Amino acid sequence: MPTAQPPPLNVAIIGGGPGGLGAAIALSALPHISVTLYEQARELREIGAGIRIGANCWTVLGLLGAEDGVKGHVEERVLQRNGLSGELLAEKNLDGALSGGGSVKERSGVEPQRVRRTRLQSALVGKVGEGIIKLGRKLVRMEKVAGGKGGSVVVVREHVFRDHSIKFTGTTIFRTLIPASSVSHIPDMTPATTWWHGPTGHMYSSLVDDPSELRPEEQMFEIAARDVCDPATVTGKRFSWGVPATKERVESFFTDYDPRVRETLAIVPEGQWKEFSAFAGPRLEKLVAWEGRVVLIGDASHPLSGAFGSGAAFALEDGWILARAIEYARGDLQAALDIFDEIRSPYYYKMYQYLDQIKASMQNAKAANPTQSFEESLEARVNAFGGEDRLSWIYGNDIKDVWRKWVDGKIAAKSVK
Ligand SMILES: Cc1cc2nc3c(=O)[nH]c(=O)nc-3n(C[C@H](O)[C@H](O)[C@H](O)COP(=O)(O)OP(=O)(O)OC[C@H]3O[C@@H](n4cnc5c(N)ncnc54)[C@H](O)[C@@H]3O)c2cc1C
């Protein structure tokens, strides 16, 4: 690796989501880098209700110095219920034992929390330096300028990976935040975080605030109600960002659910629902393009459609690793982006593989029992998806450790030569 002072590098980041903001924080901490972040929206607004901050996310937020102010509801109890009958199918406690020993709390050292998305966004924005974020600026095309100097990193997908496309998956998610006090009288709706599973979707509900911080009347409750259909049956345009949905539309998917679910949905005031359509696409073989000057991070790099509920953590990890790779390569941008790709692509590959395995195991269970009842399919669904324990390589991922191991591997490889 070159040892001289690295040359100055201008970096353009497209998008002010967790990925772009995290990358802006991590990259602008490097002395030779000048960062500009372009966001198409005129203001940075986060409308996605709540977000889960698990151990992987806490680790990277700590590395970015952005964990202060990110505070919410500690997921002490997570319940899985039959959404129609209300029957309790599974329960996980924060202090409960994990396979391999220890509890979620002990193993990760931090508590998973459900927080308002706005709090994560504010914490990140607060760490991005003055003048870096340019709002109301949309990337519409990219051109190679004759005689232009090398050394710009841009984070975008459709402009450089033209053969790659994402499609509506058939999953529609309705999300809202309402005062927790408005549902506190409904049995079992609070304080546990609960999945109410139905035949073609589920309702997820959770508190999102820390009771030691806010008065009871200020605390909020999150609902994410999901329906899955065959995407081929859907006509009309779908949007991945939140568009308004009526009460009637949302409630129509849950008419046969447990009365507690229906009562909760009925309490949401008209005009409070936002509808998100999930899009996903195949894994990209490589995250670097345009002669090593463009790199994808966050959702743009792995269109998984929120499959693991940890995409913000992945996006933040990407930004932090990108900064380490650029720092390590000391001016060799191509080498830096290759390092980034070498570390992150296999990680995403493992996620796609895992999802394929889940899909196959569900299909096998169905093939073995074609007359599978709703209860049987539900059991398969609840058992199929691992949590903190089975997926510790995701939820317990320590990105600092990942980087240290990569560097150690390079040192070991050199000493063998
Ligand atoms: C229902 C659901 C639940 C989820 N729950 C969780 C959770 O609990 N925990 C978790 O960690 N993750 C969760 N996720 C995933 C998480 O929201 C995403 O993975 C995360 O927001 C990805 O961040 P990002 O910065 O890559 O992309 P985004 O957050 O999508 O940000 C992209 C930004 O780029 C801007 N942009 C796009 N195109 C342009 C352009 N041409 N020019 C300029 N700007 C542009 C957009 O306006 C946007 O602000 C969930 C996702 C879904 C759908």
Side-chain angles (χ1 to χ4, degrees):
M1 289 292 147
T3 50
Q5 189 64 16
L9 179 67
N10 291 320
V11 178
I13 297 174
I14 309 301
L21 294 170
I25 298 167
L27 291 172
S28 46
L30 299 178
H32 63 294
I33 294 194
S34 162
V35 177
T36 310
L37 186 156
Y38 300 98
E39 165 57 49
Q40 63 186 359
R42 292 196 183 280
E43 55 175 322
L44 280 177
R45 270 181 313 137
E46 185 48 87
I47 51 173
I51 193 159
R52 183 175 194 273
I53 310 287
N56 54 346
C57 203
W58 285 124
T59 301
V60 68
L61 282 175
L63 293 168
L64 296 170
E67 77 270 59
D68 286 350
V70 183
K71 224 165 171 230
H73 169 73
V74 176
E75 285 185 349
E76 294 280 356
R77 277 179 86 210
V78 181
L79 309 181
Q80 309 281 342
R81 287 185 184 276
N82 177 325
L84 306 190
S85 67
E87 183 195 353
L88 184 60
L89 305 171
E91 169 168 0
K92 191 162 273 180
N93 292 310
L94 195 56
D95 290 320
L98 289 176
S99 59
S103 68
V104 175
K105 206 170 176 177
E106 286 160 3
R107 200 184 283 176
S108 60
V110 281
E111 298 157 327
Q113 293 186 28
R114 196 79 198 167
V115 309
R116 298 188 196 189
R117 278 188 175 240
T118 43
R119 296 198 69 157
L120 174 64
Q121 188 180 57
S122 303
L124 292 169
V125 170
K127 288 287 166 185
V128 179
E130 199 75 12
I132 287 181
I133 302 176
K134 309 282 181 212
L135 294 173
R137 305 282 288 277
K138 178 175 179 164
L139 178 81
V140 286
R141 67 171 190 280
M142 285 176 52
E143 281 174 15
K144 289 184 181 131
V145 182
K149 289 207 169 63
S152 54
V153 182
V154 185
V155 189
V156 68
R157 187 184 51 233
E158 66 269 27
H159 297 276
V160 280
F161 294 84
R162 292 192 182 279
D163 297 334
H164 187 266
S165 63
I166 54 172
K167 284 198 293 214
F168 174 51
T169 60
T171 298
T172 307
I173 308 135
F174 304 98
R175 313 180 82 186
T176 192
L177 281 180
I178 55 171
S181 56
S182 64
V183 292
S184 56
H185 64 284
I186 302 176
D188 304 316
M189 205 41 78
T190 58
T193 295
T194 310
W195 301 76
W196 302 80
H197 299 278
T200 63
H202 64 245
M203 185 183 93
Y204 168 89
S205 59
S206 181
L207 295 165
V208 287
D209 287 316
D210 178 356
S212 72
E213 211 187 21
L214 294 175
R215 293 198 301 273
E217 63 274 21
E218 293 169 329
Q219 293 168 31
M220 299 299 274
F221 178 76
E222 174 191 10
I223 309 172
R226 187 179 289 238
D227 181 68
V228 184
C229 69
D230 176 357
T233 62
V234 172
T235 52
K237 198 161 165 48
R238 289 301 192 124
F239 299 93
S240 62
W241 57 92
V243 293
T246 62
K247 274 176 73 61
E248 189 187 5
R249 173 160 167 75
V250 179
E251 289 172 34
S252 69
F253 293 104
F254 297 89
T255 51
D256 51 355
Y257 273 61
D258 183 279
R260 289 167 288 185
V261 170
R262 285 183 279 128
E263 189 180 348
T264 301
L265 297 178
I267 282 167
V268 179
E270 190 68 84
Q272 292 297 305
W273 284 110
K274 286 278 186 299
E275 173 173 342
F276 300 78
S277 296
F279 287 75
R283 186 180 76 89
L284 283 156
E285 289 295 325
K286 207 162 165 51
L287 306 178
V288 179
W290 252 49
E291 296 155 17
R293 291 169 66 179
V294 172
V295 63
L296 295 182
I297 67 166
D299 275 8
S301 73
H302 56 276
L304 283 163
S305 177
F308 296 96
S310 201
F314 306 154
L316 294 167
E317 289 174 343
D318 281 349
W320 189 81
I321 282 287
L322 181 61
R324 298 292 68 73
I326 291 178
E327 190 178 33
Y328 182 89
R330 296 183 60 81
D332 185 343
L333 187 62
Q334 177 76 62
L337 299 194
D338 285 345
I339 293 169
F340 173 83
D341 206 35
E342 184 185 328
I343 296 173
R344 295 305 279 173
S345 277
Y347 190 54
Y348 289 128
Y349 179 57
K350 202 170 162 185
M351 290 184 209
Y352 275 91
Q353 264 186 328
Y354 184 80
L355 292 177
D356 286 346
Q357 280 165 18
I358 296 287
K359 200 170 158 193
S361 84
M362 303 281 284
Q363 282 167 349
N364 290 343
K366 176 96 180 122
N369 179 8
T371 55
Q372 202 182 41
S373 67
F374 165 60
E375 283 74 17
E376 286 166 334
S377 73
L378 198 50
E379 197 185 330
R381 212 193 310 170
V382 170
N383 290 335
F385 214 86
E388 301 277 343
D389 40 359
R390 266 159 55 197
L391 292 177
S392 59
W393 56 275
I394 290 184
Y395 301 110
N397 194 39
D398 182 337
I399 197 68
K400 187 163 45 51
D401 211 34
V402 169
W403 176 248
R404 190 183 48 74
K405 283 187 180 138
W406 184 88
V407 174
D408 288 350
K410 286 291 156 198
I411 294 169
K414 267 190 197 157
S415 64
V416 170
K417 279 183 192 162

